[in-house]
Amino acid sequence: MTEFYAELIGTIFLILLGNGVVANVVLSKTKGNNSGWIVITTGWALAVFVSIVITSKYSVVHLNPVITIGLALIKKVEWIKVPILILAQFIGSMIGAFLVWLIYKDHFLITKDPLVKLSVFNTIPAIKNPILNITSEIIATFMLMFFIFNFPYSKYALQISFLIWSIGISLGGTTGSEINPARDLGPRLMHFILPIPGKGSSDWEYAWIPVVGPIIGTIMAYILYCWL
């Protein structure tokens, strides 16, 4: 159960800080309004670093279903633990998204654009093109997972954070580089549930891409890791 709670708490921190920086940049009349993509990618990199450092004392923290699956593939995690760890990640992502909404509730009320409100909860492609969007997610996740296959995740928090920062800055211009199914599905579900005036659609039609793309990218990284 320690691992479950570590994943739960770690993912809450991840989404609270990661989605929180998005809210600060895109919602109306925030202190960080319109501060740009560099602020968002930096905030996400720091969110990853903080989440790993805070919770790695208690277990080998993953914070991401594809990391859990990937480490199970290379036999660093028992398969029997995979479902419970992923469940913790999804619950944590939902709680984190709820806290972001709670903190920025007034700003959601005065923000008019439904897509802007949705973007606080999950990524939105700059140009919706399923083939290229999923390709972007595959490549970004491949880079993340190939690094993680070669270096212990919890012992390289700073390096992982710089990698996340680099991926976001260089590859995030198309889809935002989700690279984490829990980071998308949990907050997307909260967007669907929460009473946000004028929120519009939760865009479930796109929701499969941030899930399938990272899984494919993980499998490809695993194949290369085994081949080398």
Side-chain angles (χ1 to χ4, degrees):
M1 291 303 290
T2 300
E3 292 175 329
F4 176 89
Y5 288 120
E7 289 296 320
L8 177 70
I9 294 168
T11 312
I12 291 173
F13 276 104
L14 177 69
I15 301 302
L16 176 59
L17 296 176
N19 286 25
V21 71
V22 178
N24 191 23
V25 171
V26 304
L27 295 179
S28 298
K29 294 189 177 181
T30 61
K31 296 292 186 179
N33 183 247
N34 290 323
S35 51
W37 185 244
I38 299 298
V39 171
I40 290 176
T41 55
T42 303
W44 263 105
L46 292 172
V48 171
F49 177 77
V50 169
S51 302
I52 295 173
V53 170
I54 286 176
T55 53
S56 60
K57 174 183 177 181
Y58 305 101
S59 83
V60 180
V61 181
H62 304 161
L63 313 176
N64 184 338
V66 295
I67 293 177
T68 302
I69 293 169
L71 294 180
L73 286 171
I74 61 173
K75 296 180 172 54
K76 291 188 178 181
V77 173
E78 298 174 24
W79 278 105
I80 195 171
K81 294 182 179 180
V82 170
I84 192 67
L85 295 178
I86 291 178
L87 177 63
Q89 293 156 5
F90 275 103
I91 294 173
S93 71
M94 293 175 68
I95 296 172
F98 171 79
L99 292 174
V100 171
W101 169 74
L102 188 63
I103 292 168
Y104 284 97
K105 187 176 179 181
D106 285 345
H107 299 275
F108 276 105
L109 289 174
I110 63 174
T111 299
K112 303 301 182 183
D113 190 342
L115 283 179
V116 170
K117 295 179 182 182
L118 178 61
S119 70
V120 174
F121 292 87
N122 43 260
T123 55
I124 298 173
I127 299 174
K128 188 170 282 190
N129 181 326
I131 294 176
L132 293 181
N133 296 156
I134 197 169
T135 299
S136 176
E137 290 295 331
I138 289 170
I139 292 172
T141 311
F142 173 89
M143 293 182 62
L144 172 67
M145 292 308 301
F146 189 71
F147 183 96
I148 288 172
F149 284 146
N150 286 280
F151 299 97
Y153 186 62
S154 59
K155 294 182 180 180
Y156 288 85
L158 185 61
Q159 291 88 336
I160 289 287
S161 301
F162 273 107
L163 177 60
I164 295 293
W165 194 19
S166 178
I167 290 172
I169 291 174
S170 300
L171 305 180
T174 56
T175 63
S177 295
E178 189 78 49
I179 62 179
N180 184 339
R183 178 262 181 274
D184 182 88
L185 282 183
R188 192 183 297 271
L189 184 58
M190 292 308 297
H191 176 271
F192 179 76
I193 293 172
L194 288 170
I196 306 170
K199 65 181 177 181
S201 168
S202 298
D203 197 12
W204 291 104
E205 179 182 330
Y206 180 79
W208 67 276
I209 289 176
V211 175
V212 175
I215 292 173
I216 295 173
T218 298
I219 294 171
M220 291 174 63
Y222 169 69
I223 292 171
L224 180 60
Y225 173 78
C226 292
W227 181 68
L228 292 176

